[in-house]
Amino acid sequence: MRARFDPDFVEFLMMIGNGEEPANEKHEIQIPQPMLIQYTSLEQSIEDLISYVYPDLSLFETTPFDMMQRIILCPKNDFVNYVNSKLIQRISREPIIYISDDRTKHASDQGDYVDYLNNLEPKGLTHELNIQLTLYMMKFL
């Protein structure tokens, strides 16, 4: 998405792709300073990243499709959950939260497995679904 609107970023990617961007002895490429968010602390750096990617979350209330064209990629599910929780905290609406049903097939097994079931985090699944309805979405309900 960034490539559509940022010609300097496109040029940088093309130089990498063509093997023209200088690399160090470990074959690592130096990312230009203006493309970086400086690390201060985990908390502050995440806040800075979110502010950069989503500068005005109130836009989500009126034009959600513009906001859907922005994304923060994360390497691990636990980090995805962390960033999502930070974003949800910034949205002013009261969330609707649905909790998974973690009962075992046989009630006699419940005590043995409930902690185990709640610790599982299968890829793409969660025990809690947190939905933020925007004014835009509420018009259609």
Side-chain angles (χ1 to χ4, degrees):
M1 297 301 296
R2 182 175 178 178
R4 291 186 357 195
F5 304 108
D6 189 344
D8 293 334
F9 183 67
V10 172
E11 184 179 338
F12 177 67
L13 291 179
M14 292 302 290
M15 289 181 69
I16 292 171
N18 293 333
E20 299 167 359
E21 186 67 24
N24 65 17
E25 63 279 349
K26 295 180 184 177
H27 304 286
E28 298 170 332
I29 294 170
Q30 181 70 37
I31 297 174
Q33 198 65 28
M35 291 183 185
L36 297 174
I37 292 177
Q38 289 300 313
Y39 181 84
T40 50
S41 68
L42 178 62
E43 189 75 25
Q44 185 58 50
S45 297
I46 295 299
E47 292 295 329
D48 292 345
L49 176 63
I50 291 170
S51 295
Y52 179 79
V53 176
Y54 301 101
D56 186 1
L57 283 174
S58 67
L59 290 177
F60 193 70
E61 294 287 335
T62 55
T63 56
F65 300 109
D66 290 342
M67 296 302 290
M68 288 181 215
Q69 295 193 22
R70 297 169 177 268
I71 187 170
I72 296 175
L73 295 175
C74 302
K76 300 211 176 222
N77 286 344
D78 58 345
F79 200 66
V80 169
N81 294 338
Y82 180 75
V83 172
N84 281 343
S85 69
K86 292 291 180 191
L87 278 164
I88 287 169
Q89 289 171 11
R90 288 180 171 213
I91 297 174
S92 60
R93 299 261 173 243
E94 191 65 34
I96 300 171
I97 299 174
Y98 296 95
I99 306 295
S100 67
D101 185 2
D102 55 6
R103 291 178 288 178
T104 58
K105 185 173 181 179
H106 302 288
S108 61
D109 294 333
Q110 188 69 23
D112 296 333
Y113 294 106
V114 71
D115 289 335
Y116 172 71
L117 291 171
N118 283 315
N119 285 327
L120 293 177
E121 288 194 25
K123 184 178 180 183
L125 299 176
T126 182
H127 292 287
E128 182 178 293
L129 178 60
N130 190 330
I131 299 176
Q132 292 280 349
L133 292 178
T134 66
L135 292 175
Y136 181 83
M137 294 172 183
M138 292 171 75
K139 301 195 292 200
F140 298 104
L141 293 179

